[in-house]
Amino acid sequence: MTAQTEKFEFKAEVNQLLDILVHSLYTNREIFLRELVSNASDALDKMRFAINSDPELNDEVEPEIFIAYDEEKKTITVTDTGIGMTKEEVMANIGTIAHSGSAEFVKQAAASKENLDTLIGRFGVGFYSIFMVSDHVVVRTKSYKKDEPAIQWVSDGKNAYELTEIEAEMDHGTSVEIHLNEDMISRFGSDDKLKDIVKRHSNFVSFPIMIGGERVNTVPALWREPKFQIKQEQYEEFYKFLTWDVQPPIETLHISVDAPVQFNALLFVPEKDLDIFGMDRDNWGLDLYVRRVLIEKQNKNLLPEYLSFMKGVVDTEDLPLNISRETLQDNLLIGKISTTLTKQVLGQLEKIAKDDPEKYAKFWKAHARIFKAGHMDFLNREKFSGLLRFDSSKAEEKALVSFEDYTSRAKEEQKEIYYAFVASREAANLNPHLEIFRRKDIEVLYLYDPIDEFVMESIREVGDFTLVAAEYADLEKLDKFESSKKEDSPAPLSEEQEKDMAALASKMKEILGEQVAEVKISERLSDSPCRLVNPDGHMTSTMEKLMKAMNKDNTIPTKTMEINADHPLLRSMLEIFKVNADDEFIALSSRQLLESALLLEGYLNDPHALVGRIQSLLTKAGGWYAELEKKG
């Protein structure tokens, strides 16, 4: 039995307003259930607060949320045992749509679509997302206040709504009965489908959500719990639930911040790069919650991309949202959260690097390539550079070297950190650019990844030290350090031989033509016969290759060839040159030296000529050696 029903007409523009809300704002129709669960959770929170505020309020009703699908009626009902509403509160809360400001809203929204998010923030109309999926809606509610009658609200969201006082007995709380549109039944018409939506969007709501007699939200929101109450096993279980990774994380960060913005976060450093094949680079970001309700999966603004290996959740109560909760109104708050989180993550990595180098080595092996992209984070450059690790000429196999390690063992008066891009440690031992550093016992950092070049270019300085590419090191700065003497060093060239060597260099330039910019005698080489350098002396060979690859330029660059006047091959070429400047061996050796150097630099695309020349030289050398053996 019910009391008299009152009918309230919506204003003429309400139909237009609802059309804007339903069709313009919401892109994912399943969020209607998220909105209703969030409203139910708020109602339960208010009831709990009322009980705590009034000791005389005797209430034994369990705080729960019930969701049910009725196959016969084709309805979804969401019921809570929360604080409920009086008639006046119903009209104020879910009748807000009819207030006088709606006309102004429609006017402004129609005139300026780009300001819709800002405008919608003035209206508490998340409830009205249910009209995306329903023909009509029936709300029944009863306030916790004594002597307040239960109220029924009915509307199709078009022209009017009806209010009725219900005389039947009813506990405090609210139920929302949604009569599904015909085309929505297949999408939402089963308990299993409703469970899936709840698990996706409302899994961490603190109150039990019951569907079909089963509690759906069984995973606790650990980030809201005190750290001292949580065991490591719980963190690991939550991580596996979040990522489906069978291995426990390297590190767990449980963060609670009150200023400049209040939020809780639970972050994890995976043991391995979860993007195994490198085909899923866009699958990153932290899950953003507001009061335990998922607002955005994989939000990419909460951490910079170079920390995209981090997995976890962030939950805040301070974040203003638009009605759909699909876009965020105030990026300033997101920016503050991001700044704080970034510092927290970098600080934790610093702690690991200092306290547990073995664990940090695991992190570096798994995530270094992504992490190195942080060279563009100018605000955190000092922290970032302190976390970088390299191989080096003085490192033991598989050991990691930091800038601090390097500077702590640098030579007295050395104010440079030298680095070189190499393919491997074996390649570094053959690199002609590094000979002078071996001779003077100066450490060189080895770079293996192309991004390392950009890292060094961006950082440039570490404390009082300057980062310098080894191939362009200043000889004056290196000369002050003592060199080790080679036992088999040849006698220095006489003044006449120096002139002849200069003439040989000119002849080699004539033979090689435009393939080289210049041929000159090196002041740095001791073991290798020659090396190639850029004429301008600025861009490293590796950076040049990167630029060419980006521009799809496959041409071989024109470089300056520096020759080692003390190398046995050049001394032999000099002796032949003095006898016959046009001897075939001079031309053959000049081309062989150039192509060998290009091969070491990674520029030689076609090695056929080089191989043929080696075979020709071996044939001749074999003949000469056989003759010598006969005479011997």
Side-chain angles (χ1 to χ4, degrees):
M1 182 176 179
T2 59
Q4 183 179 356
T5 298
E6 297 178 81
K7 190 170 184 177
F8 296 85
E9 294 289 333
F10 285 140
K11 296 187 178 182
E13 68 276 2
V14 167
N15 192 29
Q16 183 182 355
L17 184 145
L18 274 171
D19 184 69
I20 292 173
L21 292 178
V22 173
H23 298 105
S24 298
L25 289 183
Y26 290 97
T27 57
N28 184 1
R29 291 180 184 272
E30 70 183 31
I31 57 87
F32 82 90
L33 191 58
R34 181 189 70 184
E35 294 292 336
L36 293 183
V37 170
S38 181
N39 290 344
S41 178
D42 288 343
L44 290 166
D45 270 329
K46 290 175 182 176
M47 188 65 207
R48 184 163 54 185
F49 178 79
I51 293 171
N52 292 336
S53 302
D54 185 359
E56 296 183 3
L57 186 60
N58 185 18
D59 184 72
E60 297 181 356
V61 179
E62 289 293 324
E64 291 180 304
I65 301 170
F66 300 89
I67 302 175
Y69 176 68
D70 189 312
E71 177 71 33
E72 185 178 342
K73 294 181 180 179
K74 310 302 181 188
T75 61
I76 296 172
T77 304
V78 179
T79 304
D80 67 71
T81 56
I83 198 164
M85 291 179 283
T86 65
K87 179 180 178 181
E88 290 73 21
E89 287 169 340
V90 170
M91 295 182 69
N93 292 332
I94 62 176
T96 302
I97 193 169
H99 72 57
S100 59
S102 59
E104 183 62 23
F105 170 85
V106 172
K107 179 180 177 182
Q108 292 188 36
S112 181
K113 285 284 185 182
E114 66 271 17
N115 293 325
L116 197 57
D117 287 355
T118 303
L119 295 173
I120 204 66
R122 304 175 190 173
F123 295 82
V125 291
F127 167 82
Y128 284 90
S129 61
I130 56 179
F131 289 112
M132 294 188 297
V133 299
S134 66
D135 287 327
H136 70 281
V137 176
V138 179
V139 178
R140 298 180 182 90
T141 183
K142 186 179 187 306
S143 174
Y144 79 107
K145 297 175 182 177
K146 290 182 179 180
D147 304 325
E148 287 290 342
I151 302 297
Q152 177 173 285
W153 182 97
V154 180
S155 177
D156 60 4
K158 294 179 181 178
N159 300 314
Y161 65 92
E162 296 177 350
L163 282 181
T164 307
E165 289 188 8
I166 304 173
E167 295 180 352
E169 285 295 319
M170 179 178 173
D171 287 330
H172 62 78
T174 302
S175 72
V176 181
E177 184 179 273
I178 305 164
H179 293 255
L180 290 174
N181 289 329
E182 191 67 32
D183 57 344
M184 292 293 118
I185 294 173
S186 61
R187 291 184 61 179
F188 306 113
S190 76
D191 283 353
D192 286 341
K193 291 173 181 175
L194 297 177
K195 286 178 183 178
D196 184 59
I197 295 171
V198 168
K199 287 180 179 179
R200 190 157 52 248
H201 295 285
S202 308
N203 206 35
F204 302 110
V205 169
S206 56
F207 301 102
I209 302 174
M210 309 298 294
I211 301 179
E214 174 189 350
R215 179 168 179 172
V216 180
N217 56 332
T218 56
V219 181
L222 287 185
W223 62 85
R224 289 272 189 158
E225 303 297 325
K227 298 178 189 178
F228 66 88
Q229 293 183 1
I230 305 174
K231 297 179 181 179
Q232 183 61 31
E233 292 78 11
Q234 291 176 281
Y235 283 131
E236 291 179 6
E237 185 178 342
F238 182 86
Y239 169 76
K240 291 176 183 178
F241 162 80
L242 188 71
T243 64
W244 299 96
D245 185 7
V246 295
Q247 297 297 326
I250 291 176
E251 188 71 6
T252 300
L253 286 80
H254 192 162
I255 302 166
S256 183
V257 176
D258 293 321
V261 57
Q262 185 277 327
F263 69 90
N264 296 291
L266 186 55
L267 309 182
F268 303 94
V269 181
E271 184 176 318
K272 297 180 179 178
D273 183 0
L274 300 183
D275 183 15
I276 300 173
F277 300 107
M279 303 289 289
D280 204 17
R281 279 299 305 127
D282 198 47
N283 185 24
W284 66 276
L286 304 179
D287 293 345
L288 175 62
Y289 288 77
V290 171
R291 293 181 291 278
R292 295 185 175 89
V293 176
L294 180 64
I295 300 304
E296 187 175 1
K297 190 97 174 148
Q298 295 184 326
N299 181 288
K300 291 180 172 52
N301 297 313
L302 291 167
L303 280 178
E305 190 168 358
Y306 75 93
L307 298 179
S308 62
F309 54 85
M310 299 293 297
K311 304 298 179 183
V313 301
V314 176
D315 190 355
T316 179
E317 299 194 20
D318 293 347
L319 195 64
L321 305 165
N322 69 11
I323 184 57
S324 71
R325 301 191 182 185
E326 292 175 291
T327 55
L328 304 174
Q329 282 185 348
D330 196 340
N331 285 328
L332 181 61
L333 284 177
I334 288 290
K336 288 180 179 179
I337 293 175
S338 175
T339 299
T340 304
L341 278 180
T342 300
K343 288 181 179 178
Q344 291 271 359
V345 172
L346 293 177
Q348 188 66 18
L349 290 176
E350 282 182 324
K351 187 174 185 303
I352 298 171
K354 180 181 179 182
D355 299 342
D356 195 341
E358 187 175 336
K359 182 191 286 189
Y360 192 78
K362 283 185 180 180
F363 155 75
W364 190 255
K365 181 180 179 181
H367 307 297
R369 187 160 293 181
I370 295 171
F371 181 75
K372 288 174 186 176
H375 67 87
M376 297 300 292
D377 186 354
F378 300 109
L379 291 176
N380 295 294
R381 175 173 290 179
E382 187 174 343
K383 282 182 177 290
F384 170 78
S385 62
L387 291 166
L388 292 171
R389 295 293 183 270
F390 305 91
D391 191 4
S392 104
S393 58
K394 291 195 174 182
E396 296 180 5
E397 189 176 358
K398 295 184 179 179
L400 295 175
V401 175
S402 67
F403 287 132
E404 185 179 0
D405 295 332
Y406 185 105
T407 57
S408 68
R409 55 183 177 238
K411 290 182 176 294
E412 190 176 350
E413 296 185 31
Q414 180 185 342
K415 290 299 178 184
E416 294 77 31
I417 297 175
Y418 295 104
Y419 64 89
F421 187 92
V422 294
S424 63
R425 290 183 68 87
E426 291 74 15
N429 293 330
L430 296 173
N431 191 318
H433 303 302
L434 304 184
E435 289 180 3
I436 191 170
F437 296 94
R438 287 194 288 271
R439 196 164 71 245
K440 292 180 177 289
D441 192 34
I442 297 174
E443 185 171 7
V444 177
L445 297 178
Y446 294 156
L447 314 185
Y448 297 126
D449 293 325
I451 193 174
D452 290 339
E453 286 275 357
F454 295 97
V455 171
M456 296 306 198
E457 285 290 325
S458 294
I459 295 177
R460 298 195 177 188
E461 293 181 352
V462 176
D464 296 331
F465 285 74
T466 303
L467 297 174
V468 177
E471 62 186 288
Y472 294 121
D474 188 339
L475 284 176
E476 289 186 8
K477 292 182 178 180
L478 295 177
D479 282 344
K480 60 188 175 186
F481 302 117
E482 186 177 349
S483 298
S484 58
K485 297 291 184 181
K486 289 180 64 177
E487 294 181 2
D488 57 348
S489 297
L493 293 173
S494 65
E495 187 174 335
E496 182 179 348
Q497 286 176 317
E498 287 180 356
K499 290 179 182 179
D500 290 336
M501 187 64 76
L504 174 60
S506 298
K507 181 63 177 180
M508 292 174 69
K509 165 58 180 166
E510 180 185 327
I511 293 167
L512 299 175
E514 295 183 358
Q515 290 180 280
V516 294
E518 183 184 1
V519 178
K520 64 180 184 180
I521 299 170
S522 174
E523 298 178 18
R524 296 173 48 131
L525 295 173
S526 57
D527 298 318
S528 301
C530 70
R531 74 171 191 148
L532 298 176
V533 294
N534 284 327
D536 59 12
H538 295 297
M539 187 181 295
T540 65
S541 302
T542 307
M543 184 62 77
E544 182 180 54
K545 279 185 281 188
L546 288 172
M547 294 297 104
K548 281 182 169 291
M550 291 170 64
N551 295 320
K552 298 181 179 179
D553 181 359
N554 296 320
T555 60
I556 297 176
T558 302
K559 298 199 171 193
T560 294
M561 176 189 278
E562 292 186 1
I563 56 175
N564 179 6
D566 290 336
H567 193 276
L569 175 57
L570 270 299
R571 289 291 178 98
S572 296
M573 289 175 67
L574 179 63
E575 293 303 314
I576 295 171
F577 176 76
K578 287 192 293 184
V579 175
N580 180 8
D582 296 320
D583 192 288
E584 181 187 5
F585 183 79
I586 303 296
L588 198 67
S589 298
S590 297
R591 295 189 179 96
Q592 189 68 22
L593 284 171
L594 174 61
E595 292 195 3
S596 297
L598 288 172
L599 184 66
L600 286 175
E601 295 280 349
Y603 286 114
L604 192 65
N605 298 321
D606 184 0
H608 289 87
L610 178 141
V611 172
R613 206 176 296 114
I614 289 175
Q615 292 173 347
S616 176
L617 285 169
L618 284 173
T619 301
K620 292 181 178 180
W624 297 332
Y625 184 76
E627 289 296 321
L628 288 173
E629 284 293 297
K630 288 178 183 179
K631 293 178 181 178

